Short mmCIF file of all heavy atoms in Angstrom, two decimals:
data_model
loop_
_atom_site.label_atom_id
_atom_site.label_comp_id
_atom_site.label_asym_id
_atom_site.label_seq_id
_atom_site.Cartn_x
_atom_site.Cartn_y
_atom_site.Cartn_z
N MET A 9 98.00 79.33 94.78
CA MET A 9 96.78 78.74 95.27
C MET A 9 96.61 79.08 96.76
O MET A 9 97.56 79.05 97.52
CB MET A 9 96.81 77.23 95.11
CG MET A 9 96.95 76.74 93.68
SD MET A 9 95.42 76.69 92.74
CE MET A 9 94.42 75.60 93.68
N CYS A 10 95.40 79.37 97.13
CA CYS A 10 95.08 79.73 98.50
C CYS A 10 95.02 78.47 99.38
O CYS A 10 94.29 77.53 99.07
CB CYS A 10 93.73 80.44 98.51
SG CYS A 10 93.13 80.83 100.16
N PRO A 11 95.78 78.46 100.50
CA PRO A 11 95.76 77.31 101.38
C PRO A 11 94.62 77.35 102.41
O PRO A 11 94.48 76.42 103.20
CB PRO A 11 97.11 77.40 102.08
CG PRO A 11 97.38 78.86 102.16
CD PRO A 11 96.80 79.43 100.88
N HIS A 12 93.86 78.43 102.43
CA HIS A 12 92.82 78.59 103.46
C HIS A 12 91.56 77.81 103.13
O HIS A 12 91.25 77.57 101.97
CB HIS A 12 92.48 80.08 103.63
CG HIS A 12 93.67 80.91 103.96
ND1 HIS A 12 94.13 81.91 103.14
CD2 HIS A 12 94.51 80.87 105.03
CE1 HIS A 12 95.19 82.46 103.68
NE2 HIS A 12 95.45 81.85 104.82
N GLN A 13 90.85 77.42 104.18
CA GLN A 13 89.56 76.76 104.02
C GLN A 13 88.53 77.54 104.79
O GLN A 13 88.71 77.77 105.97
CB GLN A 13 89.61 75.32 104.54
CG GLN A 13 90.42 74.40 103.68
CD GLN A 13 89.86 74.27 102.27
OE1 GLN A 13 88.65 74.34 102.06
NE2 GLN A 13 90.73 74.12 101.30
N PRO A 14 87.47 78.05 104.18
CA PRO A 14 87.22 78.01 102.75
C PRO A 14 88.21 78.88 101.98
O PRO A 14 88.83 79.78 102.55
CB PRO A 14 85.79 78.54 102.61
CG PRO A 14 85.60 79.41 103.80
CD PRO A 14 86.43 78.79 104.90
N THR A 15 88.35 78.61 100.71
CA THR A 15 89.29 79.33 99.86
C THR A 15 88.94 80.81 99.79
O THR A 15 87.77 81.18 99.72
CB THR A 15 89.27 78.74 98.44
OG1 THR A 15 89.55 77.35 98.52
CG2 THR A 15 90.29 79.39 97.55
N CYS A 16 89.95 81.66 99.81
CA CYS A 16 89.75 83.10 99.72
C CYS A 16 89.22 83.47 98.33
O CYS A 16 89.52 82.78 97.35
CB CYS A 16 91.07 83.84 99.96
SG CYS A 16 91.68 83.69 101.65
N PRO A 17 88.45 84.57 98.24
CA PRO A 17 87.96 85.00 96.93
C PRO A 17 89.13 85.38 96.01
O PRO A 17 90.15 85.89 96.48
CB PRO A 17 87.10 86.22 97.23
CG PRO A 17 87.16 86.44 98.68
CD PRO A 17 88.03 85.43 99.30
N SER A 18 88.99 85.12 94.72
CA SER A 18 90.06 85.44 93.79
C SER A 18 90.11 86.95 93.56
O SER A 18 89.19 87.69 93.89
CB SER A 18 89.88 84.70 92.47
OG SER A 18 88.81 85.23 91.75
N SER A 19 91.19 87.39 92.93
CA SER A 19 91.40 88.82 92.72
C SER A 19 90.47 89.42 91.67
O SER A 19 90.37 90.63 91.57
CB SER A 19 92.86 89.07 92.31
OG SER A 19 93.13 88.43 91.08
N ASP A 20 89.78 88.58 90.90
CA ASP A 20 88.90 89.11 89.86
C ASP A 20 87.42 89.06 90.23
O ASP A 20 86.56 89.20 89.38
CB ASP A 20 89.15 88.40 88.53
CG ASP A 20 88.94 86.90 88.62
OD1 ASP A 20 88.69 86.39 89.72
OD2 ASP A 20 89.03 86.24 87.57
N THR A 21 87.14 88.91 91.52
CA THR A 21 85.75 88.91 91.98
C THR A 21 85.46 90.19 92.76
O THR A 21 86.38 90.87 93.22
CB THR A 21 85.45 87.69 92.88
OG1 THR A 21 86.31 87.74 94.02
CG2 THR A 21 85.66 86.39 92.13
N HIS A 22 84.18 90.51 92.89
CA HIS A 22 83.79 91.75 93.57
C HIS A 22 84.12 91.74 95.06
O HIS A 22 84.28 92.78 95.68
CB HIS A 22 82.31 92.04 93.35
CG HIS A 22 81.42 91.09 94.07
ND1 HIS A 22 81.13 89.83 93.58
CD2 HIS A 22 80.77 91.20 95.25
CE1 HIS A 22 80.34 89.21 94.44
NE2 HIS A 22 80.11 90.01 95.46
N ASP A 23 84.25 90.56 95.65
CA ASP A 23 84.55 90.47 97.09
C ASP A 23 86.03 90.17 97.36
O ASP A 23 86.39 89.62 98.39
CB ASP A 23 83.65 89.43 97.75
CG ASP A 23 83.81 88.03 97.18
OD1 ASP A 23 84.41 87.90 96.09
OD2 ASP A 23 83.35 87.07 97.82
N ARG A 24 86.91 90.58 96.45
CA ARG A 24 88.36 90.30 96.56
C ARG A 24 88.96 90.81 97.86
O ARG A 24 89.92 90.26 98.37
CB ARG A 24 89.11 90.86 95.37
CG ARG A 24 89.10 92.36 95.29
CD ARG A 24 89.77 92.85 94.02
NE ARG A 24 89.09 94.04 93.58
CZ ARG A 24 88.19 94.05 92.61
NH1 ARG A 24 87.90 92.96 91.97
NH2 ARG A 24 87.59 95.16 92.28
N GLU A 25 88.40 91.87 98.47
CA GLU A 25 88.93 92.44 99.70
C GLU A 25 88.70 91.54 100.91
O GLU A 25 89.26 91.77 101.97
CB GLU A 25 88.32 93.81 99.96
CG GLU A 25 88.70 94.84 98.92
CD GLU A 25 87.97 96.15 99.11
OE1 GLU A 25 87.38 96.38 100.19
OE2 GLU A 25 87.98 96.97 98.18
N ALA A 26 87.89 90.50 100.76
CA ALA A 26 87.60 89.58 101.86
C ALA A 26 88.68 88.52 102.02
O ALA A 26 88.64 87.74 102.98
CB ALA A 26 86.24 88.91 101.64
N ALA A 27 89.67 88.49 101.14
CA ALA A 27 90.77 87.52 101.26
C ALA A 27 91.58 87.85 102.52
O ALA A 27 91.62 88.98 102.98
CB ALA A 27 91.65 87.58 100.02
N ARG A 28 92.23 86.85 103.04
CA ARG A 28 93.03 87.04 104.25
C ARG A 28 94.30 87.84 103.98
O ARG A 28 94.92 87.73 102.93
CB ARG A 28 93.42 85.68 104.83
CG ARG A 28 92.23 84.94 105.37
CD ARG A 28 92.70 83.75 106.14
NE ARG A 28 91.57 82.91 106.49
CZ ARG A 28 91.66 81.91 107.34
NH1 ARG A 28 92.81 81.62 107.90
NH2 ARG A 28 90.60 81.19 107.62
N THR A 29 94.68 88.62 104.97
CA THR A 29 95.91 89.40 104.89
C THR A 29 97.09 88.48 105.19
O THR A 29 97.09 87.77 106.19
CB THR A 29 95.88 90.55 105.92
OG1 THR A 29 94.76 91.38 105.64
CG2 THR A 29 97.15 91.37 105.87
N ILE A 30 98.11 88.51 104.30
CA ILE A 30 99.29 87.68 104.55
C ILE A 30 100.52 88.53 104.88
O ILE A 30 101.49 88.01 105.40
CB ILE A 30 99.58 86.72 103.38
CG1 ILE A 30 99.79 87.46 102.07
CG2 ILE A 30 98.47 85.70 103.25
CD1 ILE A 30 100.25 86.57 100.92
N ALA A 31 100.47 89.82 104.56
CA ALA A 31 101.54 90.74 104.95
C ALA A 31 100.91 92.10 105.18
O ALA A 31 100.13 92.57 104.37
CB ALA A 31 102.61 90.84 103.87
N CYS A 32 101.24 92.70 106.31
CA CYS A 32 100.64 93.99 106.67
C CYS A 32 101.75 94.98 106.99
O CYS A 32 102.63 94.68 107.80
CB CYS A 32 99.72 93.80 107.86
SG CYS A 32 98.83 95.27 108.34
N HIS A 33 101.70 96.13 106.34
CA HIS A 33 102.70 97.18 106.58
C HIS A 33 101.98 98.51 106.82
O HIS A 33 101.98 99.39 105.97
CB HIS A 33 103.66 97.28 105.39
CG HIS A 33 104.51 96.06 105.24
ND1 HIS A 33 105.67 95.88 105.95
CD2 HIS A 33 104.33 94.94 104.50
CE1 HIS A 33 106.18 94.70 105.64
NE2 HIS A 33 105.39 94.11 104.76
N PRO A 34 101.36 98.67 108.00
CA PRO A 34 100.61 99.89 108.27
C PRO A 34 101.48 101.15 108.26
O PRO A 34 100.99 102.22 107.92
CB PRO A 34 100.00 99.64 109.65
CG PRO A 34 100.83 98.57 110.26
CD PRO A 34 101.36 97.74 109.13
N GLU A 35 102.75 101.00 108.58
CA GLU A 35 103.65 102.16 108.56
C GLU A 35 103.87 102.67 107.13
O GLU A 35 104.21 103.82 106.91
CB GLU A 35 104.99 101.83 109.22
CG GLU A 35 105.90 100.91 108.44
CD GLU A 35 105.53 99.43 108.48
OE1 GLU A 35 104.56 99.03 109.14
OE2 GLU A 35 106.25 98.65 107.82
N GLN A 36 103.64 101.79 106.15
CA GLN A 36 103.77 102.17 104.75
C GLN A 36 102.42 102.34 104.06
O GLN A 36 102.35 102.79 102.93
CB GLN A 36 104.60 101.13 103.99
CG GLN A 36 106.02 101.05 104.49
CD GLN A 36 106.81 99.95 103.79
OE1 GLN A 36 106.29 99.19 102.99
NE2 GLN A 36 108.09 99.88 104.09
N GLY A 37 101.35 101.92 104.74
CA GLY A 37 100.00 102.13 104.22
C GLY A 37 99.48 101.08 103.27
O GLY A 37 98.61 101.37 102.46
N TRP A 38 99.96 99.84 103.37
CA TRP A 38 99.46 98.80 102.47
C TRP A 38 99.49 97.44 103.13
O TRP A 38 100.21 97.21 104.10
CB TRP A 38 100.25 98.77 101.17
CG TRP A 38 101.71 98.43 101.33
CD1 TRP A 38 102.72 99.30 101.58
CD2 TRP A 38 102.31 97.13 101.25
NE1 TRP A 38 103.92 98.63 101.66
CE2 TRP A 38 103.71 97.30 101.45
CE3 TRP A 38 101.82 95.86 101.03
CZ2 TRP A 38 104.58 96.23 101.44
CZ3 TRP A 38 102.71 94.79 101.01
CH2 TRP A 38 104.08 94.99 101.22
N SER A 39 98.68 96.53 102.55
CA SER A 39 98.64 95.14 102.99
C SER A 39 98.55 94.25 101.75
O SER A 39 97.95 94.63 100.75
CB SER A 39 97.40 94.86 103.85
OG SER A 39 97.44 95.63 105.03
N LEU A 40 99.15 93.06 101.83
CA LEU A 40 99.07 92.07 100.76
C LEU A 40 98.07 91.02 101.16
O LEU A 40 98.18 90.44 102.25
CB LEU A 40 100.45 91.45 100.51
CG LEU A 40 100.49 90.32 99.49
CD1 LEU A 40 100.09 90.82 98.10
CD2 LEU A 40 101.87 89.69 99.46
N LEU A 41 97.10 90.77 100.30
CA LEU A 41 96.09 89.76 100.56
C LEU A 41 96.49 88.43 99.93
O LEU A 41 97.31 88.39 99.01
CB LEU A 41 94.73 90.22 100.02
CG LEU A 41 94.23 91.57 100.53
CD1 LEU A 41 92.85 91.87 99.94
CD2 LEU A 41 94.19 91.61 102.05
N CYS A 42 95.90 87.36 100.41
CA CYS A 42 96.20 86.01 99.95
C CYS A 42 96.00 85.84 98.44
O CYS A 42 96.69 85.06 97.81
CB CYS A 42 95.32 85.02 100.71
SG CYS A 42 95.58 83.31 100.27
N ASN A 43 95.09 86.60 97.86
CA ASN A 43 94.80 86.48 96.43
C ASN A 43 95.71 87.34 95.56
O ASN A 43 95.50 87.46 94.36
CB ASN A 43 93.33 86.80 96.16
CG ASN A 43 92.93 88.17 96.65
OD1 ASN A 43 93.77 88.98 97.04
ND2 ASN A 43 91.64 88.44 96.63
N GLY A 44 96.74 87.96 96.16
CA GLY A 44 97.69 88.75 95.41
C GLY A 44 97.35 90.22 95.29
O GLY A 44 98.11 90.99 94.70
N VAL A 45 96.24 90.65 95.84
CA VAL A 45 95.84 92.05 95.80
C VAL A 45 96.61 92.84 96.84
O VAL A 45 96.77 92.39 97.97
CB VAL A 45 94.31 92.20 96.05
CG1 VAL A 45 93.91 93.65 96.20
CG2 VAL A 45 93.53 91.54 94.93
N VAL A 46 97.13 94.00 96.44
CA VAL A 46 97.74 94.93 97.39
C VAL A 46 96.67 95.95 97.72
O VAL A 46 96.14 96.63 96.84
CB VAL A 46 98.99 95.62 96.80
CG1 VAL A 46 99.54 96.64 97.79
CG2 VAL A 46 100.04 94.59 96.44
N LEU A 47 96.29 96.01 98.98
CA LEU A 47 95.23 96.89 99.46
C LEU A 47 95.88 98.06 100.20
O LEU A 47 96.66 97.87 101.12
CB LEU A 47 94.30 96.12 100.40
CG LEU A 47 93.09 96.83 100.96
CD1 LEU A 47 92.14 97.24 99.83
CD2 LEU A 47 92.37 95.92 101.94
N PHE A 48 95.55 99.28 99.75
CA PHE A 48 96.14 100.48 100.35
C PHE A 48 95.19 101.08 101.38
O PHE A 48 93.97 100.90 101.29
CB PHE A 48 96.47 101.50 99.26
CG PHE A 48 97.53 101.02 98.32
CD1 PHE A 48 97.20 100.44 97.11
CD2 PHE A 48 98.87 101.13 98.66
CE1 PHE A 48 98.17 99.98 96.25
CE2 PHE A 48 99.86 100.67 97.81
CZ PHE A 48 99.51 100.09 96.60
N ASP A 49 95.76 101.82 102.34
CA ASP A 49 94.96 102.42 103.40
C ASP A 49 93.91 103.39 102.88
O ASP A 49 92.90 103.60 103.54
CB ASP A 49 95.86 103.16 104.41
CG ASP A 49 96.62 102.20 105.30
OD1 ASP A 49 96.33 100.99 105.27
OD2 ASP A 49 97.51 102.68 106.03
N ASP A 50 94.13 103.98 101.72
CA ASP A 50 93.14 104.91 101.16
C ASP A 50 92.03 104.17 100.42
O ASP A 50 91.23 104.79 99.76
CB ASP A 50 93.81 105.94 100.25
CG ASP A 50 94.33 105.36 98.95
OD1 ASP A 50 94.31 104.11 98.78
OD2 ASP A 50 94.78 106.15 98.10
N THR A 51 91.99 102.85 100.51
CA THR A 51 91.04 101.92 99.90
C THR A 51 91.29 101.67 98.42
O THR A 51 90.51 100.99 97.78
CB THR A 51 89.55 102.31 100.12
OG1 THR A 51 89.25 103.48 99.37
CG2 THR A 51 89.23 102.49 101.59
N GLY A 52 92.38 102.19 97.89
CA GLY A 52 92.77 101.83 96.52
C GLY A 52 93.36 100.43 96.52
O GLY A 52 93.76 99.90 97.56
N GLU A 53 93.41 99.82 95.33
CA GLU A 53 93.92 98.46 95.22
C GLU A 53 94.79 98.31 93.97
O GLU A 53 94.52 98.94 92.95
CB GLU A 53 92.76 97.46 95.12
CG GLU A 53 91.84 97.49 96.30
CD GLU A 53 90.59 96.64 96.09
OE1 GLU A 53 90.66 95.63 95.37
OE2 GLU A 53 89.55 97.01 96.65
N LEU A 54 95.80 97.46 94.07
CA LEU A 54 96.63 97.07 92.95
C LEU A 54 96.39 95.59 92.75
O LEU A 54 96.62 94.78 93.66
CB LEU A 54 98.10 97.36 93.23
CG LEU A 54 99.09 96.99 92.14
CD1 LEU A 54 98.80 97.74 90.85
CD2 LEU A 54 100.51 97.28 92.61
N LEU A 55 95.91 95.22 91.57
CA LEU A 55 95.59 93.83 91.27
C LEU A 55 96.83 93.09 90.76
O LEU A 55 97.74 93.71 90.21
CB LEU A 55 94.47 93.77 90.25
CG LEU A 55 93.18 94.51 90.63
CD1 LEU A 55 92.15 94.41 89.52
CD2 LEU A 55 92.62 93.99 91.94
N PRO A 56 96.85 91.77 90.90
CA PRO A 56 98.02 90.99 90.46
C PRO A 56 98.33 91.15 88.97
O PRO A 56 99.47 91.04 88.56
CB PRO A 56 97.65 89.54 90.77
CG PRO A 56 96.56 89.60 91.74
CD PRO A 56 95.86 90.92 91.54
N ASN A 57 97.33 91.45 88.15
CA ASN A 57 97.54 91.60 86.71
C ASN A 57 98.00 93.01 86.35
O ASN A 57 98.11 93.34 85.17
CB ASN A 57 96.28 91.25 85.94
CG ASN A 57 95.12 92.18 86.19
OD1 ASN A 57 95.25 93.17 86.91
ND2 ASN A 57 93.98 91.88 85.61
N GLY A 58 98.24 93.87 87.36
CA GLY A 58 98.68 95.23 87.12
C GLY A 58 97.55 96.24 87.06
O GLY A 58 97.79 97.44 86.97
N GLY A 59 96.31 95.77 87.11
CA GLY A 59 95.15 96.66 87.11
C GLY A 59 95.05 97.42 88.43
O GLY A 59 95.66 97.04 89.43
N ILE A 60 94.33 98.52 88.39
CA ILE A 60 94.13 99.31 89.60
C ILE A 60 92.65 99.49 89.88
O ILE A 60 91.82 99.48 88.96
CB ILE A 60 94.82 100.68 89.52
CG1 ILE A 60 94.26 101.50 88.35
CG2 ILE A 60 96.31 100.56 89.42
CD1 ILE A 60 94.68 102.94 88.36
N ILE A 61 92.33 99.63 91.13
CA ILE A 61 90.99 99.99 91.59
C ILE A 61 91.17 101.30 92.34
O ILE A 61 91.94 101.38 93.30
CB ILE A 61 90.38 98.92 92.53
CG1 ILE A 61 90.39 97.54 91.86
CG2 ILE A 61 89.00 99.34 92.98
CD1 ILE A 61 89.47 97.40 90.67
N ALA A 62 90.49 102.34 91.88
CA ALA A 62 90.62 103.66 92.51
C ALA A 62 90.07 103.61 93.94
O ALA A 62 89.21 102.78 94.26
CB ALA A 62 89.85 104.69 91.69
N PRO A 63 90.58 104.47 94.80
CA PRO A 63 90.05 104.52 96.17
C PRO A 63 88.53 104.69 96.15
O PRO A 63 87.99 105.42 95.33
CB PRO A 63 90.72 105.75 96.77
CG PRO A 63 92.00 105.88 96.01
CD PRO A 63 91.65 105.45 94.61
N HIS A 64 87.87 103.98 97.05
CA HIS A 64 86.41 104.02 97.14
C HIS A 64 86.03 104.01 98.61
O HIS A 64 86.37 103.10 99.33
CB HIS A 64 85.80 102.83 96.40
CG HIS A 64 86.44 101.51 96.72
ND1 HIS A 64 87.66 101.14 96.17
CD2 HIS A 64 86.08 100.50 97.53
CE1 HIS A 64 88.00 99.95 96.63
NE2 HIS A 64 87.06 99.54 97.47
N ARG A 65 85.41 105.09 99.01
CA ARG A 65 85.04 105.27 100.42
C ARG A 65 83.53 105.37 100.54
O ARG A 65 82.86 105.82 99.62
CB ARG A 65 85.68 106.54 100.97
CG ARG A 65 87.19 106.51 100.93
CD ARG A 65 87.74 107.81 101.52
NE ARG A 65 89.17 107.80 101.50
CZ ARG A 65 89.91 108.40 100.58
NH1 ARG A 65 89.36 109.07 99.60
NH2 ARG A 65 91.21 108.34 100.64
N PRO A 66 82.99 105.00 101.69
CA PRO A 66 81.55 105.17 101.90
C PRO A 66 81.11 106.62 101.76
O PRO A 66 79.99 106.90 101.39
CB PRO A 66 81.31 104.68 103.32
CG PRO A 66 82.49 103.83 103.64
CD PRO A 66 83.63 104.35 102.82
N THR A 67 82.02 107.55 101.99
CA THR A 67 81.68 108.98 101.86
C THR A 67 81.55 109.40 100.41
O THR A 67 81.12 110.52 100.14
CB THR A 67 82.73 109.85 102.56
OG1 THR A 67 84.02 109.56 102.02
CG2 THR A 67 82.73 109.60 104.05
N ASP A 68 81.95 108.53 99.48
CA ASP A 68 81.81 108.85 98.05
C ASP A 68 80.37 108.69 97.57
O ASP A 68 80.04 109.07 96.46
CB ASP A 68 82.72 107.95 97.20
CG ASP A 68 84.19 108.25 97.41
OD1 ASP A 68 84.51 109.33 97.95
OD2 ASP A 68 85.02 107.40 97.04
N LEU A 69 79.53 108.12 98.40
CA LEU A 69 78.14 107.90 98.03
C LEU A 69 77.37 109.22 98.15
O LEU A 69 77.69 110.06 98.98
CB LEU A 69 77.49 106.87 98.95
CG LEU A 69 78.15 105.48 98.94
CD1 LEU A 69 77.51 104.60 100.01
CD2 LEU A 69 78.03 104.85 97.57
N PRO A 70 76.35 109.39 97.32
CA PRO A 70 75.55 110.63 97.44
C PRO A 70 74.82 110.66 98.78
O PRO A 70 74.44 109.62 99.33
CB PRO A 70 74.56 110.52 96.29
CG PRO A 70 74.57 109.11 95.86
CD PRO A 70 75.86 108.51 96.28
N ALA A 71 74.65 111.85 99.30
CA ALA A 71 73.94 112.02 100.56
C ALA A 71 72.47 111.66 100.37
O ALA A 71 71.89 111.93 99.32
CB ALA A 71 74.07 113.47 101.04
N PRO A 72 71.86 111.06 101.38
CA PRO A 72 70.43 110.74 101.27
C PRO A 72 69.61 112.03 101.16
O PRO A 72 69.93 113.04 101.80
CB PRO A 72 70.11 109.97 102.55
CG PRO A 72 71.28 110.13 103.44
CD PRO A 72 72.43 110.64 102.64
N SER A 73 68.60 111.98 100.34
CA SER A 73 67.77 113.17 100.18
C SER A 73 66.85 113.33 101.39
O SER A 73 66.36 112.37 101.95
CB SER A 73 66.94 113.08 98.91
OG SER A 73 66.16 111.91 98.93
N ALA A 74 66.66 114.56 101.81
CA ALA A 74 65.79 114.87 102.95
C ALA A 74 64.35 114.72 102.51
O ALA A 74 63.95 115.21 101.46
CB ALA A 74 66.06 116.26 103.47
N ALA A 75 63.57 114.04 103.29
CA ALA A 75 62.17 113.82 102.94
C ALA A 75 61.27 114.75 103.70
O ALA A 75 61.53 115.29 104.70
CB ALA A 75 61.78 112.38 103.23
#
């Protein structure tokens, strides 16, 4: 259970990355969030249930079309 007020988003919501960091290891490229999500520097995620979220960067979006 999250001790923070307001409570951090759970790992199964779209805003799971907004949870507070409880352990940070930049030398290894990962952080543990309060909701149990392991967040990697490449923006990939490991969920507490063993699921994965592939890296997702703003550069993955299509370029705006020239008008």
Side-chain angles (χ1 to χ4, degrees):
M9 300 278 301
C10 175
H12 304 117
Q13 288 299 327
T15 304
C16 293
S18 72
S19 63
D20 59 355
T21 61
H22 70 279
D23 60 345
R24 66 184 145 260
E25 295 174 15
R28 292 190 189 191
T29 300
I30 58 172
C32 184
H33 294 276
E35 72 283 359
Q36 296 177 355
W38 63 273
S39 297
L40 175 63
L41 304 182
C42 180
N43 57 9
V45 172
V46 177
L47 183 63
F48 295 96
D49 286 350
D50 69 353
T51 69
E53 300 172 30
L54 179 60
L55 304 178
N57 66 3
I60 60 169
I61 305 293
H64 46 283
R65 299 181 179 99
T67 57
D68 292 343
L69 300 174
S73 57

